[in-house]
Amino acid sequence: MRYDADMAVPFLDLSRVNSPQWADYRAAFDRVMTESQFIMGTDVEAFEREFAAWVGVTHAVGMSSGTDALLATLMAYGIGPGDDVLVPTLTFFATAGTVARLGARPIFVDVDPSTMLIDIDQALERRTANTRAIISVHLFGQCVPLDPLQDTTLFIIEDAAQAHGATNSHGVMVGAQGHAACFSFFPTKPLGGFGDGGMVTTNDDDFADRLRLMRVHGARPKFHHLHVGGNFRLDTLQAALLRHKLPTVDAQADARRAIAARYRDALSVLEGRGTWRWVGRTPGRHVFHQLCGLASARDELRAYLKTLGIGTGVYYPEPLHTQPCFESLEQGLGHCPNAEKACNELVALPCFAGLTDSEIDEVANAIISFYL
Ligand SMILES: Cc1ncc(COP(=O)(O)O)c(C=O)c1O
């Protein structure tokens, strides 16, 4: 996948990200073809073990996507009609969509205007008598500090879809901080696969067992259904390929951190002018799934960069609480003002392993020439 393939500086070029390991991926593909074990089997089990060890948890359960990881987690916890679940409004749709699909109510929470992460204090204030869980999203690759939640009875779900390898200020990996954590292997993610895939991590033996049951239509033994689950299995082929990619994730995050640092230096001339502000950082290791700033005249800036052949992204153009499908929840405009404002200003710059120094400088100089 090459976003803005016609651009001189693409927003994202996955062929550059993945090409150093192409030979390994081809060998893994060949091996799975030869073995012809396409559903579950040793590659899925081995990848689950390797991923759990990397995150520092006892269980990792492969899933068909990040969305299904969230859905299966909520199902395994028994979330349903009458339950409320706290979610940030600035996130990908799946964070709230999965809650609504189960008949529960998402309660939208605003973001911290500096980091764009869920405002945990407000989340605690917005709890109702029916609030059973919170999904905290480690947005853009930075870790939400979850310490204030530890004394609550809330079931803490980390949405770690964008933050493989990030840590909190104590050095604990995302995925090892809540009761369960949901990862996506969508191709653009920090551990991106070659199609859809996902994972749930947990230290809870019983919960891991329920997840494993949920992903096979709740059947144990086969054809005997204890629960209504779904087909949430991670493909064997994805697992085989991702086993080769996992050892490269930390180095790729290092590369994105170096890119972010170069942009920061280059754009420091804009500091204090009120036109460009970086999205703030929380303590801990940030893996820069997205490198985002808040830009005045954002849409004009993007159009200008486009004329120069520079691709950018917007995450997200609209918060979730104002989406038409959630109108009946009556949490519309004004419910989360920080996110409403940010959605007009957020812009993501090209930031991927393989981006060259001269490309970074080209983007930075173009932004400077727009504002100065
Ligand atoms: C924060 C967040 N949650 C959930 C998802 C859903 O993951 P997937 O696309 O693998 O279903 C994504 C990715 O798109 C995401 O960014």
Side-chain angles (χ1 to χ4, degrees), residues 95-120:
T95 311
T98 47
V99 173
R101 277 169 69 184
L102 293 174
R105 178 172 67 156
I107 298 187
F108 293 107
V109 180
D110 208 351
V111 293
D112 175 315
S114 159
T115 61
M116 297 296 134
L117 297 176
I118 185 169
D119 177 341
I120 294 283

Side-chain angles (χ1 to χ4, degrees), residues 170-317:
H170 314 295
V172 180
M173 293 271 268
V174 310
Q177 299 172 25
H179 295 109
C182 303
F183 291 85
S184 164
F185 302 130
F186 185 78
T188 62
K189 298 293 195 250
L191 174 52
F194 304 80
D196 283 309
M199 189 76 89
V200 183
T201 55
T202 181
N203 281 316
D204 182 328
D205 298 349
D206 291 339
F207 193 71
D209 188 57
R210 282 207 295 283
L211 287 166
R212 292 183 197 286
L213 200 52
M214 280 300 162
R215 75 174 167 185
V216 290
H217 290 292
R220 185 174 294 155
K222 201 174 177 185
F223 303 131
H224 182 69
H225 298 268
L226 305 175
H227 301 283
V228 177
N231 173 0
F232 301 138
R233 294 179 302 246
L234 175 66
D235 283 346
T236 308
L237 190 54
Q238 289 300 334
L241 294 163
L242 285 163
R243 288 184 70 192
H244 286 284
K245 193 154 183 191
L246 182 60
T248 73
V249 172
D250 289 326
Q252 295 209 351
D254 288 344
R256 291 194 300 277
R257 264 191 295 279
I259 291 167
R262 191 175 178 96
Y263 272 121
R264 256 180 203 269
D265 278 354
L267 290 182
S268 59
V269 291
L270 297 180
E271 264 166 37
R273 291 171 180 271
T275 48
W276 178 271
R277 180 163 65 87
W278 290 108
V279 169
R281 295 182 56 165
T282 51
R285 191 166 66 207
H286 187 345
V287 296
F288 287 99
H289 170 56
Q290 300 296 354
L291 172 63
C292 290
L294 293 149
S296 65
R298 189 265 318 269
D299 295 340
E300 290 82 353
L301 171 68
R302 292 190 73 215
Y304 173 72
L305 295 176
K306 193 171 175 194
T307 63
L308 299 177
I310 295 168
T312 55
V314 172
Y315 302 98
Y316 294 87

Side-chain angles (χ1 to χ4, degrees), residues 65-67 70 91-92 94-95 137 159 161-162 184 189 197 316:
S65 67
T67 302
L70 286 163
T91 177
F92 180 65
T95 311
V137 180
D159 183 336
Q162 304 188 1
S184 164
K189 298 293 195 250
Y316 294 87

Side-chain angles (χ1 to χ4, degrees), residues 19-206:
S19 56
Q21 275 75 44
W22 273 351
D24 290 339
Y25 302 145
R26 288 199 176 101
F29 190 91
D30 278 355
R31 187 173 52 72
V32 174
M33 286 298 130
T34 308
E35 289 170 6
S36 285
Q37 160 87 57
F38 295 117
I39 301 293
M40 304 304 286
T42 51
D43 275 301
V44 173
E45 284 162 24
F47 179 51
E48 289 177 340
R49 268 197 313 278
E50 289 154 9
F51 193 82
W54 181 65
V55 170
V57 290
T58 42
H59 301 281
V61 183
M63 293 283 166
S64 35
S65 67
T67 302
D68 288 343
L70 286 163
L71 189 64
T73 297
L74 292 164
M75 289 169 83
Y77 191 59
I79 294 289
D83 294 331
D84 290 341
V85 178
L86 296 156
V87 295
T89 189
L90 191 72
T91 177
F92 180 65
F93 182 76
T95 311
T98 47
V99 173
R101 277 169 69 184
L102 293 174
R105 178 172 67 156
I107 298 187
F108 293 107
V109 180
D110 208 351
V111 293
D112 175 315
S114 159
T115 61
M116 297 296 134
L117 297 176
I118 185 169
D119 177 341
I120 294 283
D121 292 337
Q122 188 187 80
L124 293 172
E125 284 161 19
R126 288 192 173 173
R127 264 178 308 178
T128 65
N130 298 326
T131 305
R132 294 184 61 207
I134 181 169
I135 307 179
S136 61
V137 180
H138 299 303
L139 196 71
F140 302 151
Q142 57 185 339
C143 180
V144 183
L146 296 176
D147 296 344
L149 296 176
Q150 302 303 342
D151 292 336
T152 70
T153 55
L154 292 173
F155 186 69
I156 303 169
I157 301 168
E158 297 174 69
D159 183 336
Q162 304 188 1
H164 318 57
T167 67
N168 65 12
S169 58
H170 314 295
V172 180
M173 293 271 268
V174 310
Q177 299 172 25
H179 295 109
C182 303
F183 291 85
S184 164
F185 302 130
F186 185 78
T188 62
K189 298 293 195 250
L191 174 52
F194 304 80
D196 283 309
M199 189 76 89
V200 183
T201 55
T202 181
N203 281 316
D204 182 328
D205 298 349
D206 291 339

